[in-house]
Amino acid sequence: MQQDHIIFDLIKKERTRQESGLELIASENFVSQQVLDAMGTVLTNKYAEGLPGKRYYGGCEVVDEIETLAIDRIRELFGAEWANVQPHSGAQANAAVMLALLKPGDKILGFDLSHGGHLTHGSPVNFSGKLYQPAFYGVDKNTGRIDWDEVGRIAAREKPKLIICGASAYSRDWNYKQLREIADTNQALLMADIAHPAGFIARKILEDPLKYCHVVTTTTHKTLRGPRGGLIMMGKDFENPFGLKTPKGKIRMMSSLLDSGVFPGTQGGPLEHVIAAKAVAFQEALSDDFLKYIRQVQKNARKMAEQFMKKGYKIISDGTDNHLMLIDLRSRDLNGKQAEDALIRADITINKNMVPFDDKSPFVTSGMRLGTAAVTTRGLLEDDMIKIVELIDQVLSNIDREGLILDVKKEVNDWMSQYPLFK
Ligand SMILES: *Cc1c(COP(=O)(O)O)cnc(C)c1O
């Protein structure tokens, strides 16, 4: 067969794009060569519906070993009692949990998308807002932080079946302990979606949701630095606190309900090549190198936030506990779209993002979101954050000066050529 030059040339082009630019999208990262290698393997050929030892297809002896290792490693990494590593993505993990634990029409309470939440936490354009009845909490207008007592008042009023915590653009840690008290008071289940801060939580740098939440979901490709994918975990709540029943009326263990939420509930065959890559990434995340890495991600984010504030940029909540920050550009007379468009011309990738109480549409927005997970993988340290903020500020202060933006682009490309990404 002839090689598909069209596609492979495009892949080469994307590789060059990733190597030559400054990657500041908060949800992105760069996987190691062995994670990449595991994904591009013959495991993609194998059907393995079901779970290790309980498959609907023959010939699963090898993938059973791989998936069991992935489960063992993630349990060790997070101190989880139970895990399902099959969700194809973070959104799929959330869909599986909701299908398993809720009935259509049940009320859910999540963090407002326009304040930094995620589509799958009840947005009207997503399954979660169409199948379930959503209610939301947000941040305090003055502090930019979630007021946990206020969440308690909203929960008491709304009486949700499920409370969801976690976000895509919230730079502060979560009070899982108080959220669990709120959930218990209101007879609700509590789910944490740690898609963004998973790498910090794994290494105990941020609060541990597994101690308090009935269920924890995450992606594997953000701060956890694995392949694109999702997973579901439980800390200790194996019991079924509300007597949730199967369609046939039998009371089941939560773990077994959640397994069925993934398959046959929302997915077919698992991606065993991705599960192998997840297992590799989990092993990496257990290493001393990863601990050093994730600490540096946090140091870099703090440095970056501090530098932006020094230059007069408004950071929501005035700082960060994790890898990301949300910047309100209104004081600079810029919107998110203008910032994103100007920065990409300098090979600096960020994303435009709604800020709390935004007066612009999601296509324009008043803010931008940045994160340090990818540039830290690349090898950049605190002093480099000073330079990054300098370059971004030059572009944003001169968005109509094409010559200047081209100079910044050249500087970015020269700089990044000193940090090779791929072998
Ligand atoms: C990124 C993210 C997801 C979705 O992950 P996908 O893999 O893109 O489906 C879910 N929840 C939160 C909070 C996220 O940030």
Side-chain angles (χ1 to χ4, degrees):
M1 221 185 306
Q2 237 189 331
Q3 226 217 345
D4 185 343
H5 290 294
I6 301 173
I7 288 296
F8 283 99
D9 284 350
L10 285 169
I11 293 173
K12 208 184 280 167
K13 230 167 138 178
E14 170 61 12
R15 198 183 155 113
T16 305
R17 190 196 67 80
Q18 291 186 15
E19 277 199 304
S20 53
L22 254 181
E23 186 52 72
L24 296 167
I25 292 178
S27 47
E28 294 193 7
N29 210 330
F30 301 112
V31 298
S32 69
Q33 190 60 48
Q34 56 171 351
V35 168
L36 216 47
D37 290 343
M39 266 185 288
T41 58
V42 295
L43 295 170
T44 194
N45 298 331
K46 188 71 199 101
Y47 243 112
E49 283 176 353
L51 290 165
K54 291 179 278 186
R55 305 282 193 186
Y56 292 82
Y57 287 84
C60 290
E61 308 78 43
V62 181
V63 293
D64 274 6
E65 280 190 56
I66 290 172
E67 190 168 337
T68 302
L69 271 171
I71 293 168
D72 290 347
R73 288 175 181 181
I74 197 69
R75 286 181 51 209
E76 183 184 350
L77 184 60
F78 282 90
E81 292 286 338
W82 169 91
N84 184 307
V85 296
Q86 294 187 356
H88 302 330
S89 71
Q92 288 290 118
N94 291 345
V97 170
M98 289 185 217
L99 185 86
L101 305 183
L102 301 171
K103 288 195 279 301
D106 277 354
K107 186 166 274 184
I108 58 176
L109 174 62
F111 185 42
D112 196 328
L113 178 64
S114 67
H115 285 209
H118 192 260
L119 281 165
T120 54
H121 301 179
S123 160
V125 298
N126 182 261
F127 79 90
S128 56
K130 288 182 195 283
L131 291 182
Y132 310 106
Q133 213 191 119
F136 299 99
Y137 56 92
V139 299
D140 179 271
K141 201 165 183 170
N142 294 317
T143 62
R145 292 175 186 245
I146 297 166
D147 172 348
W148 308 107
D149 294 336
E150 178 64 10
V151 179
R153 286 188 285 274
I154 298 172
R157 187 182 72 219
E158 300 287 345
K159 292 279 172 214
K161 281 267 172 55
L162 176 71
I163 298 175
I164 305 167
C165 53
S168 295
Y170 188 63
S171 62
R172 297 301 180 175
D173 206 356
W174 291 73
N175 190 341
Y176 303 111
K177 186 166 187 282
Q178 191 172 345
L179 285 167
R180 177 58 184 264
E181 286 161 15
I182 294 167
D184 286 345
T185 308
N186 295 286
Q187 294 256 299
L189 286 163
L190 180 61
M191 170 181 125
D193 174 352
I194 59 168
H196 269 271
F200 294 100
I201 291 165
R203 300 312 301 260
K204 307 279 177 265
I205 290 170
L206 292 176
E207 287 295 327
D208 182 6
L210 278 103
K211 276 203 279 199
Y212 301 106
C213 300
H214 297 99
V215 188
V216 176
T217 61
T218 184
T219 62
T220 45
H221 50 274
K222 297 178 185 175
T223 55
L224 207 50
R225 206 163 63 177
R228 191 160 292 281
L231 62 91
I232 309 173
M233 294 180 282
M234 275 199 300
K236 56 183 176 188
D237 288 280
F238 269 94
E239 79 278 20
N240 178 339
F242 304 107
L244 296 164
K245 294 193 179 85
T246 64
K248 284 185 181 150
K250 275 202 311 200
I251 294 191
R252 295 248 305 268
M253 301 255 283
M254 282 256 289
S255 54
S256 134
L257 281 169
L258 291 168
D259 278 334
S260 337
V262 177
F263 172 84
T266 50
Q267 292 188 172
L271 313 174
E272 292 296 340
H273 54 307
V274 176
I275 289 174
K278 285 175 179 172
V280 173
F282 302 158
Q283 184 84 309
E284 289 178 354
L286 283 159
S287 69
D288 292 343
D289 276 353
F290 187 87
L291 180 60
K292 211 171 132 209
Y293 159 72
I294 199 73
R295 282 190 177 136
Q296 189 64 47
V297 171
Q298 190 181 42
K299 283 188 214 159
N300 284 353
R302 284 181 179 165
K303 189 67 174 185
M304 182 182 280
E306 183 190 298
Q307 290 302 117
F308 271 119
M309 290 188 290
K310 263 192 199 160
K311 289 197 177 290
Y313 287 83
K314 168 65 190 163
I315 295 200
I316 305 299
S317 87
D318 302 315
T320 180
D321 296 331
N322 51 35
H323 60 300
L324 65 82
M325 63 208 72
L326 186 55
I327 298 181
D328 189 338
L329 293 163
R330 285 178 289 197
S331 61
R332 313 287 296 200
D333 257 338
L334 280 174
N335 63 47
K337 188 173 183 328
Q338 286 171 317
E340 186 182 290
D341 290 349
L343 288 166
I344 199 63
R345 281 183 274 140
D347 281 352
I348 300 172
T349 340
I350 56 109
N351 64 281
K352 62 175 182 280
N353 211 100
M354 300 278 276
V355 295
F357 310 100
D358 209 324
D359 50 2
K360 298 192 184 73
S361 81
F363 298 104
V364 179
T365 81
S366 296
M368 61 176 185
R369 185 187 66 160
L370 300 89
T372 54
V375 287
T376 308
T377 293
R378 204 126 194 202
L380 302 192
L381 303 171
E382 283 118 300
D383 281 349
D384 302 313
M385 301 302 118
I386 302 174
K387 180 163 166 188
I388 290 177
V389 174
E390 194 61 52
L391 293 172
I392 290 176
D393 185 51
Q394 274 181 36
V395 172
L396 295 186
S397 306
N398 299 281
I399 61 163
D400 296 323
R401 290 177 58 191
E402 215 43 52
L404 182 141
I405 292 178
L406 274 177
D407 287 346
V408 173
K409 175 183 153 87
K410 194 171 175 318
E411 191 170 345
V412 165
N413 297 156
D414 288 347
W415 189 20
M416 287 304 104
S417 69
Q418 297 160 34
Y419 293 87
L421 245 187
F422 310 107
K423 72 175 186 208

